[in-house]
Amino acid sequence: MEHRPHIRTAIPKRRYRLDGCEATLLGEIDSADPRPYRFILAFVPAGQGEPSLYVCAERGGEGDRLRVVSALLDEVMAEGLVWDGPDAFAEQALTLGRQVLGLRGGEAQRLL
C-alpha cells in the first residue's frame, strides 16, 4: 500500500472487533510522514497481519483532516474537524471504515 502511514512509534489506545476485522486505535504517533497524525484507526482483516485500511486524523491549522488510506484510496474525506478525544474519533472512524470495507455486522465490540 503506497500511501499508508509510516509509523515509527505509537501507543494503542483502543482495540475493536467487528465483522471479520480487528481495528486498533493509535495515538501519540511518531511518523516518518510529513503529515502530523493525531489518531489512526487501522483495520486488519481476520487472518492477516497488516492493515488493509487506515482512517487517519491529521493535525491541521483550522482543525483536523480526516483521511482514508487503502490500496486503492488516499482521500481527505473532511477538514476542519475537532474531536474531544479518542472515543469521539473512534466512533466516526469505525463508521467510515465499516462503510469503506463493506462490513455489515453489528456494533463494534471494544476489546481494550
Side-chain angles (χ1 to χ4, degrees):
M1 183 181 319
E2 182 180 343
H3 299 287
R4 69 175 169 73
H6 296 92
I7 301 165
R8 291 185 196 129
T9 62
I11 304 295
K13 300 289 187 180
R14 311 275 188 275
R15 293 192 70 187
Y16 302 91
R17 181 177 298 132
L18 59 156
D19 194 30
C21 276
E22 285 201 7
T24 301
L25 176 65
L26 303 172
E28 301 177 45
I29 301 160
D30 179 36
S31 168
D33 295 336
R35 302 174 183 146
Y37 297 108
R38 181 172 178 168
F39 300 113
I40 295 175
L41 188 65
F43 290 81
V44 179
Q48 295 188 18
E50 294 291 321
S52 64
L53 178 74
Y54 297 90
V55 179
C56 308
E58 301 173 352
R59 294 181 192 273
E62 297 288 322
D64 294 343
R65 288 182 294 275
L66 183 67
R67 180 182 301 273
V68 175
V69 179
S70 72
L72 302 174
L73 184 66
D74 179 13
E75 187 172 334
V76 173
M77 305 301 283
E79 294 189 51
L81 302 171
V82 178
W83 291 282
D84 291 335
D87 292 326
F89 169 75
E91 183 178 331
Q92 186 172 11
L94 284 164
T95 299
L96 184 56
R98 184 179 283 126
Q99 291 171 353
V100 171
L101 293 171
L103 303 176
R104 294 186 177 88
E107 292 295 313
Q109 177 185 11
R110 184 171 164 182
L111 304 174
L112 168 73

